[in-house]
C-alpha cells in the first residue's frame, strides 16, 4: 500500500540525483552570469550624448546590477550545497519545496516566506 505520508515526503526531500542536477544548473547559471558581466565590462558604453545614449546606459546598469544579484544568489546556493544547508528556508528553517527548487535552484526562502517578503515591500 502506498501511504499519503510517503507521497508528502517525496515532495520536499531532495534526492542525491536532484542535488546533482541542481548543482549542474547552478554552475551553468554561474558561468552564464560571469560571462554576462564580463561582456558588460568589456563593451564600450554607447555615447551618452546620442539620441538614446542616456537611456541605454541606464538599461545596461540595471541589467548588470540584476546579473550581479543573481550571481551572488547562485554563489550563495552553491556554498549552501557545500555546507549541507541547501534547501532550507532562511526564515522559517523548514525545507523548501522540492518543486520550487527545481524551478528556482538558488531560492533562499520557501514559497510562503517569499510571498510574505514580497508583500512587505
Ligand atoms: Zn520559510
Amino acid at each position: 500500500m502506498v501511504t499519503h505520508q510517503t507521497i508528502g515526503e517525496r515532495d520536499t526531500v531532495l534526492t542525491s540525483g536532484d542535488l546533482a542536477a541542481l548543482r549542474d544548473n547552478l554552475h551553468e547559471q554561474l558561468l552564464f552570469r560571469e560571462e554576462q558581466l564580463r561582456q558588460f565590462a568589456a563593451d564600450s558604453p554607447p555615447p551618452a550624448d546620442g539620441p538614446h545614449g542616456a537611456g541605454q546606459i541606464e538599461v545596461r546598469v540595471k541589467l548588470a546590477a540584476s546579473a550581479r544579484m543573481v550571481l551572488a544568489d547562485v554563489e550563495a546556493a552553491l556554498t549552501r550545497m557545500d555546507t549541507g544547508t541547501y534547501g532550507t528556508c532562511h526564515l522559517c528553517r523548514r525545507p523548501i519545496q522540492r518543486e520550487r527548487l527545481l524551478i528556482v535552484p538558488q531560492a533562499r526562502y520557501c514559497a510562503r516566506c517569499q510571498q510574505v517578503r514580497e508583500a512587505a515591500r
Side-chain angles (χ1 to χ4, degrees), residues 12-95:
T12 47
V13 175
L14 291 166
T15 66
S16 54
D18 287 337
L19 278 172
L22 288 169
R23 190 186 278 273
D24 280 354
N25 185 319
L26 285 165
H27 261 292
E28 260 171 46
Q29 285 203 67
L30 188 77
L31 294 176
F32 173 74
R33 294 298 171 180
E34 277 176 353
E35 177 58 29
Q36 210 178 16
L37 285 171
R38 244 196 307 277
Q39 287 190 356
F40 279 130
D43 285 356
S44 54
D49 55 357
H52 305 294
Q56 275 181 21
I57 289 174
E58 202 179 309
V59 168
R60 285 160 55 95
V61 166
K62 278 183 186 162
L63 282 175
S66 78
R68 239 176 256 124
M69 259 172 58
V70 174
L71 184 63
D73 277 352
V74 168
E75 280 175 341
L78 283 166
T79 305
R80 291 199 296 277
M81 274 191 178
D82 289 338
T83 54
T85 55
Y86 181 78
T88 304
C89 175
H90 276 214
L91 280 179
C92 66
R93 305 279 157 194
R94 296 224 301 246

Side-chain angles (χ1 to χ4, degrees), residues 98-117:
R98 175 175 176 272
E99 230 172 74
R100 173 167 166 74
L101 287 172
L102 294 179
I103 299 166
V104 192
Q106 72 269 33
R108 282 166 206 251
Y109 309 107
C110 67
R112 223 177 38 173
C113 291
Q114 182 75 46
Q115 270 179 5
V116 171
R117 279 175 60 87

